[in-house]
Every structure is written in C-alpha cells, then in structure tokens.
Amino acid sequence: MILSITVSFLLSFLNFYSEALAPTSWQKRLDTAFLDLDGPQSPQERLRLIQEAVQDPNLRKDVTAAIDAIRRDGFGKGHPAFIESLWPKGTIGRRDIEGIQTLVKTLPERFEELSDTQIADVVESTRNPTTQKIVTNVVNSAWEDRDRTVVVAKNVLRSDPKGVETLSSNQLEVFEASNNTTVEIRQFDDYKAVGVDLSSFEDFTMNTMGEGLAKLAGYVYGYNSEDQISEMTAPFIMQSFKMWIQQPSNMNDKNAEPSDSSMKIEERTGQTMALLEFPGICTNAEVKRRKELLQEALAEQTNWTIADPNVMVFQYNAPGTVPWRRKNQVGFVVDEVVSVETEEETSGDLEEVVSVETEEETSEDLVDDLEQSMTEEDKIISNEIEATEEVLEEEVTTEASDEEETENESIEDEATEEETESE
C-alpha cells in the first residue's frame, strides 16, 4: 500500500515537469527549471524559464492533445499518447516516468529477494577486514577535495554521474527495433581492470552484488599492497561469475596489487558491444527481461551478430542514487556481419590484386630470363668481336710490316741506282 501511494505521488509530481528535444520548447524550459540539476543555479533564472514556458502557444496545444487522447481512448489505451504529447521520448521527464514504471515491477522483486535470512547475509557480505580504515580514508579524501565531493554528492540525482572516471568508448551505430527498444553499438577501448570472483552465476541479488562491490571499494580506498587511495570508477560490470571495474588511472603505475586473494588485475582488450539501456534497479527477473529484448532486437537486423552469449550488465551509479534515475545496460559482445556482396567484391579485388601481382612477377621473371639470356649472348658476341679484333690486328700488323719491307726495298733500289749513275 505504501509503495503504491509513493509511486502514485512520484508520477503525479513528474507530470508537471519534463524536457523536450527542442531547446526552446516549453517542455525544455520547464524541465530545466525543475528537473535539470546542472541548469541555471539562481531562482530568478529558473522563474524566467517558467514564465516563458507558460507563454508558449504550443503548451495549450500539447496539453489539449494529451487530454483528447484520454477522452477518446480512455486512460488504459490513451495514456501512451498522453505521455508522448507531453513527455516525448528522450526527455528527462520521460526517463523518470519510465524509471518509476519499472520500479513498480522491480521493487517487489527486490523485496522478495530480501528475506530475513538474506538481510543478515547482505550485511555480512559487505564486511571487510579493514572496514574502519576504508571508511576513514573515504572521509579524509572527501574532506581534502570538498569541491569534488559536492559534485559527486549531487550524483544521487543524476543518471550520468559527474566527476567519475568512466570507460573510453566510441558510438558506432544506433537503431530502433520493432519491440520499441533502442540498441546502441559501441566500441570500447582497451583498459586495465580490477575484478573479483563471485559465488553465483549471473546472480544480481543484493547479496552477490553487495559482496563484489564491497571488495572493489575496499581495493580502491586503500585495501591494496601500496595502501593507495583513489576514487571509484564507473560502470561496474558483471558477467557470469565475475564483477569488475576499470582500475583508476592514477593507480596504473603504482603496482597496487589487491590485498584480497579473490581479486586480481587484468588487461581487457577492446570489444564491440550491443547495449540496451534501462532505468531502475537490477533484479534477476529484470535483467532477464532486458536481455531477451536485446536478443530480439539483434535477431531482426543483419549488421551485427552475437559473439558471446553470456550477457554483461553495466551499472553506472552509486548505491545511494535515487532508483528511478539509475542507469543500467545489458550488453552482448558482437561481431560485424560481412555481407555476401562485400565478400564477393573483396574476393574479386583480391583475385585482381593476385592476378596483377602474378603478371608483375611473370614479367619480372621474363625480364630476368631475358637479362640472363642477353648476358649469355653478349658474352658470345663479345668473344667473337674480340677474336675478330685480334685477327684484324694481326692482318693490319702484317700489312704494315709488308709495306715497311716494300718501302725499305724501294729505298735500297733507289740507292743502288744512284750509286750506279755516280760511277
């Protein structure tokens, strides 16, 4: 009863405020004035936004369309159009409403998990050999950097936490599925992780998650070989029997090994993930529902295929975050599908390249053979030329010698004739 009243109150409260995608719309102005934690800080600026929203002529039109949908179809069938008119998909107000609607399912599931015996187990699982030391380190760290502490404290009202180190990634694609889900394809970079082994397979109960988070927080806040203190990173990730976070960047070069033997530091290579975001809290039933929606969405498209059937669950917010604004994701590692046409084109390109390379190699071989053949012929011709030159030189030498002898004989004859005449 109390839970139903609380949910009804929250839904009624959110019905006054929202954000639209258009930056000058009345929804955007009201949302910035009432819901945007990082919006204008002065009351005067927020009041001005409210006045501008009330004066927007589209306000009357949108409210009329929403009421007409309820009158025409009744609240049961007309409330989707009612919500869409006032709180379009992608707005803060819409996300809050969907988050509260999710809590209507997940809160009873969480309460079922927390029986009397399990509550004691949860408390026991969060204990750490140096709990007091860790708490002291956290308090001291918060006191030393009070500006950052204020920013982080406001994260209890943010879906996307500020002042927190997160995984580096790039968005590759976003597509809408027929089951009204939005799937994001994202490439994550390599990173160093610190992880802990869990006792149960794909178990998202408070007992299992509390145990894992306590150990990870203990490592970050000083329960390590170097007694180094850092800050938690986001998200914390669960898959199969493991939970891990990205190791804080200022601990990468310190060789701070976990003091808990169930934990270890490991390098994680970049992966392409298909992700489905959802608000609220993670229960076993909720993760199963979201996992099936993601599988359905991936099954109806042809660009990506699931490479690992073990689902990953990403949770971005600290435990104290208001539950309807918690940001979660289920994800699968995926591979890009290469189409048959692309394969044929690639194969044709490869064959063409191979053919060209073969022709080039054949041409090079012919040139080499020709050069070798020409070299042998050149040698033969060179030898013949040398032999001919030797013969010609001998003939020239002989002729020159004969001419010289003839000339000498002629001179001798002339000399003899001159002597005869003189006598």
Side-chain angles (χ1 to χ4, degrees):
M1 182 67 179
I2 296 176
L3 177 62
S4 300
I5 294 174
T6 302
V7 171
S8 299
F9 171 78
L10 289 172
L11 284 172
S12 300
F13 174 79
L14 289 170
N15 284 345
F16 291 100
Y17 318 112
S18 72
E19 150 187 81
L21 298 179
T24 58
S25 66
W26 65 269
Q27 293 101 328
K28 175 66 176 180
R29 292 189 176 101
L30 284 184
D31 184 77
T32 302
F34 290 103
L35 292 177
D36 191 353
L37 185 65
D38 301 304
Q41 301 301 307
S42 69
Q44 292 81 5
E45 289 179 293
R46 292 182 182 269
L47 180 60
R48 178 179 57 80
L49 289 172
I50 296 173
Q51 292 172 341
E52 291 175 354
V54 172
Q55 297 170 1
D56 190 331
N58 289 322
L59 172 63
R60 183 183 181 88
K61 182 180 69 174
D62 292 336
V63 171
T64 300
I67 295 174
D68 288 344
I70 298 297
R71 288 176 176 173
R72 183 180 62 252
D73 302 321
F75 186 79
K77 293 183 179 180
H79 81 274
F82 177 87
I83 293 175
E84 185 64 31
S85 296
L86 301 182
W87 302 280
K89 189 175 181 179
T91 64
I92 292 178
R94 178 66 167 266
R95 290 201 302 270
D96 284 347
I97 291 173
E98 291 175 349
I100 293 174
Q101 289 174 335
T102 299
L103 289 176
V104 174
K105 295 180 181 178
T106 56
L107 280 178
E109 293 169 352
R110 180 65 84 210
F111 288 139
E112 288 179 7
E113 296 173 355
L114 294 176
S115 64
D116 293 338
T117 55
Q118 287 178 322
I119 291 176
D121 292 338
V122 170
V123 174
E124 182 64 27
S125 69
T126 58
R127 290 184 178 177
N128 192 289
T130 58
T131 301
Q132 184 175 355
K133 176 182 177 182
I134 292 171
V135 172
T136 301
N137 291 340
V138 172
V139 173
N140 291 338
S141 177
W143 182 256
E144 290 173 1
D145 192 352
R146 278 166 282 186
D147 291 339
R148 181 183 180 281
T149 300
V150 172
V151 173
V152 173
K154 291 181 179 179
N155 284 339
V156 297
L157 298 174
R158 294 188 180 103
S159 294
D160 294 301
K162 286 191 172 184
V164 177
E165 186 177 356
T166 59
L167 292 176
S168 176
S169 63
N170 294 310
Q171 186 185 87
L172 302 181
E173 182 182 341
V174 176
F175 65 88
E176 300 286 336
S178 60
N179 57 7
N180 295 322
T181 59
T182 301
V183 178
E184 179 184 29
I185 307 297
R186 185 167 284 272
Q187 177 66 46
F188 287 88
D189 297 338
D190 299 344
Y191 64 97
K192 185 176 288 188
V194 54
V196 59
D197 295 328
L198 302 175
S199 57
S200 302
F201 178 79
E202 290 188 359
D203 184 14
F204 305 98
T205 60
M206 289 287 290
N207 189 16
T208 302
M209 290 193 294
E211 177 185 2
L213 274 177
K215 291 184 177 182
L216 292 173
Y219 168 81
V220 171
Y221 291 115
Y223 190 45
N224 53 69
S225 60
E226 302 299 319
D227 293 331
Q228 185 181 0
I229 302 172
S230 186
E231 301 292 341
M232 286 291 287
T233 61
F236 66 90
I237 306 168
M238 296 179 67
Q239 183 185 40
S240 301
F241 288 96
K242 292 187 70 68
M243 175 189 285
W244 69 91
I245 60 172
Q246 179 183 5
Q247 185 185 38
S249 57
N250 63 347
M251 299 180 75
N252 286 344
D253 300 327
K254 300 296 183 180
N255 297 319
E257 294 294 329
S259 298
D260 190 324
S261 60
S262 66
M263 303 176 65
K264 64 179 181 179
I265 296 174
E266 57 186 4
E267 297 286 346
R268 287 197 168 264
T269 57
Q271 294 176 314
T272 304
M273 301 289 302
L275 301 167
L276 172 61
E277 183 177 330
F278 63 99
I281 58 179
C282 290
T283 62
N284 287 334
E286 180 67 1
V287 170
K288 183 175 183 293
R289 287 189 291 266
R290 301 295 177 169
K291 172 184 173 181
E292 291 173 351
L293 287 173
L294 179 56
Q295 288 173 324
E296 292 173 4
L298 290 173
E300 67 182 36
Q301 54 80 51
T302 58
N303 293 333
W304 306 93
T305 182
I306 296 176
D308 184 352
N310 293 316
V311 68
M312 287 189 190
V313 177
F314 298 72
Q315 299 184 66
Y316 288 82
N317 307 97
T321 305
V322 291
W324 62 88
R325 286 200 174 177
R326 293 185 63 83
K327 175 182 176 180
N328 314 293
Q329 293 172 326
V330 291
F332 289 108
V333 178
V334 294
D335 290 329
E336 188 172 9
V337 177
V338 180
S339 64
V340 176
E341 293 181 357
T342 304
E343 288 180 347
E344 291 177 351
E345 291 175 0
T346 303
S347 176
D349 293 339
L350 289 174
E351 289 178 359
E352 184 177 351
V353 170
V354 171
S355 175
V356 171
E357 289 180 350
T358 303
E359 290 178 357
E360 290 178 352
E361 291 175 357
T362 303
S363 177
E364 291 176 357
D365 292 339
L366 290 173
V367 171
D368 291 340
D369 293 340
L370 182 59
E371 288 179 350
Q372 292 177 1
S373 175
M374 289 297 293
T375 301
E376 293 176 357
E377 292 180 1
D378 287 344
K379 289 180 179 179
I380 296 172
I381 294 171
S382 177
N383 292 336
E384 292 179 352
I385 292 173
E386 289 178 0
T388 304
E389 288 178 347
E390 290 177 358
V391 172
L392 289 174
E393 286 179 359
E394 290 179 357
E395 291 179 353
V396 169
T397 302
T398 303
E399 290 179 356
S401 178
D402 292 343
E403 289 178 356
E404 186 177 353
E405 290 179 357
T406 303
E407 186 177 353
N408 290 336
E409 289 177 355
S410 176
I411 293 171
E412 290 178 355
D413 290 341
E414 290 178 357
T416 303
E417 290 177 358
E418 288 176 356
E419 290 179 357
T420 303
E421 290 177 358
S422 174
E423 291 177 354

